Amino acid sequence: MTTFESARRNLLKASLLLPVAGTFITARAATSESSNAAAAQASFTVKPEGKGRIVSDSLASLSYETGQLADPRFFSPDNHSLIALLRELNPNGVLRIGGNTSDITTWSEYHGTLPAQPSHTTGPQHPVTLRPESLRNLSGFLRATGWKLVFGVNLRAGSPAMAVALSHAVRDAVGDSLLAIQIGNEANNYEKDYADFDTAWQPYARALRAAGMPLAGPDTGANTDWVIAYAREHGAENCFLSRHYYRDAAQRGSVGDLLGGDPGLLEYMERLVDVGDEVHLPVRLTEANSYYFGGRDGVSNVFAAALWGADFMLGLASLGVSGIHFHGGTLTSVEASLGREVHATTDASSLSLQRDAASAHYAPIAGDVALGFQPRPLYHGMVLAQRFAGARMLYGKLDTGGANLAAYAGKRDDEMLLALINKDVLLDADMSIDVEDFFIDSAEQLRAASLDSRDTAGLVATAWQGDTAQGLRIRVPRASALLVHMKKQHV
Ligand code: BDP
């Protein structure tokens, strides 16, 4: 293990450090509510000359079901509110279309024969028919957002010819916005093992390559070993490596579980990034979110998910993961991917709650074409992490003082960014900050009424006070995050 690798491993681990004496810089909005709360004495020390990974500008990305394209008005140049939300989230994002419904999609303009399709008792039941109008509109949508596209074709149908015909149509429609075609979604759910997947995948890859399509994969579920085997066998023919991530199943989801962290995650993602380095390919989580089976209401769609999301993204960006596509979309589209039919009805009087009810629980953006769109708390966590785009992540020594804290540092030119994420329900954190030669220029806060609040104002500039002459101390209220902008001291 190199020194930096061990530093990366330590990034999220607490270590002992003597508190630095100094005055408090307090986010004012926070003091009124939490000044009487118990506070952990924490510290974060950063060496500005570290050699960490540079955060990719397409880190904050999104994923939707292919079934979402059944309504051509969803991804359309006329869907102004969704376009505005994507642009605000990330001007360089990547839209991944796929999910379970990609493996039941047929292309309306393909007139060849398909092998007989076995019937499935689980998973999506109703085939999706994709039509040219949806691709035309998708193209206008991508142009309006500036986003790139990763498009998944149907492996399960056993028809490379249909995949080639659809990929041509996608490329003809979206042109240079097409970053890659992926073959099959979580084939680990229907192929016995990697060897069987490879046998099914190869004729597709040959046909798509012959048609000049860029490929990525294997777009597997939680199978790190598949990605490693794929990288070694097919790395040279691909433009990135991919797998998915969910913390657990929806029925096991809770705010405590989500904020408690996922102990194995950094280890296996680091393995993947190392394999990616070996074959010179970036690694993307092409589908990810808190809890599969559509997310958990009251957990995935509340403020806790914003803190989780920011921490998750920055932890993985520190390892060198290039993109994280949070899965979402309408409740109907995601439930269909699970073989369930829903009628998203609600008697909620507010538009905001109606949009919430119309959406998959884990979706970062809530809403539909009829109701319009709004950011969920998770979206704001993504915005926070995306602020690090282009920054070099630095090793920081964090002493949590017993609170559930995460802290990240990234340097971009003469600017230093700190993300101080307090996931603790009970403890505020008084953090002493030691970053040689940098002073605090401004700070933004991400906060909500409570961890289970469905609303947050997003990142809001926060006034801070304090004498910085003898070291910095910042209070990070429980259940909140601070994004601190520091500037280099010129002497
Ligand atoms: C993933 C599938 C996606 C599902 C999601 C879920 O790729 O289509 O919607 O699980 O369970 O495995 O929420």
Side-chain angles (χ1 to χ4, degrees):
M1 207 187 335
T2 64
T3 316
F4 181 63
E5 276 166 354
S6 74
R8 285 194 275 165
R9 281 191 202 283
N10 283 332
L11 196 65
L12 290 182
K13 287 184 191 155
S15 59
L16 272 178
L17 199 78
L18 286 174
V20 178
T23 49
F24 282 98
I25 293 174
T26 308
R28 258 188 217 134
T31 35
S32 53
E33 284 170 46
S34 46
S35 54
N36 295 329
Q41 299 305 306
S43 63
F44 189 44
T45 305
V46 180
K47 293 265 167 276
E49 45 314 303
K51 285 263 180 295
R53 297 274 183 161
I54 293 181
V55 180
S56 146
D57 61 3
S58 65
L59 180 69
S61 289
L62 294 170
S63 162
Y64 284 85
E65 292 291 331
T66 311
Q68 192 72 75
L69 288 169
D71 180 354
R73 297 169 307 165
F74 195 92
F75 295 114
S76 144
D78 297 328
N79 194 348
H80 301 293
S81 64
L82 188 59
I83 289 167
L85 283 166
L86 264 66
R87 288 177 66 98
E88 255 168 65
L89 173 63
N90 184 3
N92 299 299
V94 179
L95 177 65
R96 177 263 185 169
I97 300 289
N100 286 339
T101 53
S102 65
D103 273 329
I104 51 158
T105 294
T106 54
W107 168 231
S108 67
E109 306 310 287
Y110 176 70
H111 301 301
T113 48
L114 286 178
Q117 302 296 307
S119 60
H120 306 294
T121 48
T122 56
Q125 303 295 315
H126 302 296
V128 174
T129 306
L130 190 55
R131 297 180 199 285
E133 188 190 359
S134 296
L135 294 186
R136 272 198 303 275
N137 286 358
L138 175 64
S139 157
F141 181 85
L142 291 170
R143 260 201 311 279
T145 53
W147 281 41
K148 299 261 189 245
L149 176 70
V150 170
F151 194 90
V153 292
N154 187 336
L155 172 67
R156 229 172 166 182
S159 173
M162 184 171 74
V164 169
L166 175 54
S167 301
H168 269 302
V170 169
R171 195 178 54 185
D172 289 350
V174 311
D176 286 349
S177 305
L178 180 65
L179 196 62
I181 297 285
Q182 298 204 104
I183 304 166
N185 174 74
E186 300 191 354
N188 52 286
N189 290 331
Y190 53 87
E191 296 292 352
K192 189 164 76 5
D193 51 25
Y194 180 76
D196 276 16
F197 164 69
D198 201 47
T199 306
W201 182 89
Q202 295 236 22
Y204 275 78
R206 263 196 305 278
L208 287 164
R209 263 202 318 274
M213 298 296 161
L215 297 182
D219 208 37
T220 175
N223 308 59
T224 300
D225 52 332
W226 282 38
V227 191
I228 294 172
Y230 182 93
R232 301 218 158 114
E233 280 169 49
H234 305 296
E237 313 149 24
N238 277 258
C239 47
F240 63 81
L241 299 173
S242 64
R243 60 157 275 177
H244 298 174
Y245 172 85
Y246 288 91
R247 166 100 184 81
D248 205 339
Q251 61 271 27
R252 288 189 288 275
S254 69
V255 165
D257 175 72
L258 190 60
L259 295 183
D262 186 347
L265 169 71
L266 294 185
E267 209 108 342
Y268 63 70
M269 286 311 295
E270 183 166 41
R271 256 180 84 210
L272 277 193
V273 173
D274 288 346
V275 170
D277 287 351
E278 272 172 37
V279 296
H280 310 292
L281 290 181
V283 170
R284 303 186 72 86
L285 286 179
T286 38
E287 190 189 312
N289 222 312
S290 49
Y291 297 103
Y292 60 88
F293 294 149
R296 180 150 184 138
D297 192 22
V299 179
S300 306
N301 52 352
V302 300
F303 186 64
L307 300 181
W308 165 77
D311 183 23
F312 176 72
M313 288 178 75
L314 289 172
L316 293 181
S318 305
L319 293 182
V321 173
S322 296
I324 304 176
H325 300 249
F326 286 87
H327 199 54
T330 58
L331 186 66
T332 316
S333 75
V334 169
E335 292 294 301
S337 82
L338 299 164
R340 303 190 295 225
E341 275 177 52
V342 289
H343 301 285
T345 51
T346 168
D347 51 13
S349 53
S350 83
L351 180 61
S352 163
L353 288 175
Q354 287 170 19
R355 288 172 175 165
D356 190 55
S359 310
H361 302 314
Y362 48 42
I365 296 173
D368 64 20
V369 171
L371 296 167
F373 295 84
Q374 69 193 26
R376 282 248 181 83
L378 173 59
Y379 173 98
H380 294 292
M382 294 172 70
V383 168
L384 190 159
Q386 182 61 28
R387 294 290 186 88
F388 282 72
R392 187 182 288 285
M393 297 306 281
L394 298 174
Y395 168 58
K397 206 170 186 189
L398 173 67
D399 174 359
T400 66
N404 184 5
L405 286 184
Y408 299 93
K411 188 165 169 275
R412 197 171 35 211
D413 305 320
D414 275 357
E415 187 192 18
M416 178 79 72
L417 286 169
L418 304 184
L420 309 174
I421 306 172
N422 186 350
K423 298 172 286 175
D424 212 288
V425 197
L426 299 173
L427 293 173
D428 291 354
D430 287 337
M431 296 190 76
S432 71
I433 304 291
D434 185 0
V435 190
E436 237 167 73
D437 299 336
F438 281 82
F439 68 94
I440 293 186
D441 186 53
S442 61
E444 294 169 276
Q445 189 179 41
L446 187 58
R447 212 171 171 202
S450 67
L451 275 175
D452 57 9
S453 168
R454 282 166 205 253
D455 277 325
T456 161
L459 272 177
V460 177
T462 179
W464 47 273
Q465 57 198 354
D467 172 9
T468 61
Q470 301 164 45
L472 304 175
R473 293 182 74 84
I474 299 183
R475 172 163 288 206
V476 188
R478 59 195 185 277
S480 79
L482 273 188
L483 179 65
V484 179
H485 301 261
M486 304 183 88
K487 289 259 167 71
K488 197 162 171 72
Q489 222 132 27
H490 290 287
V491 273

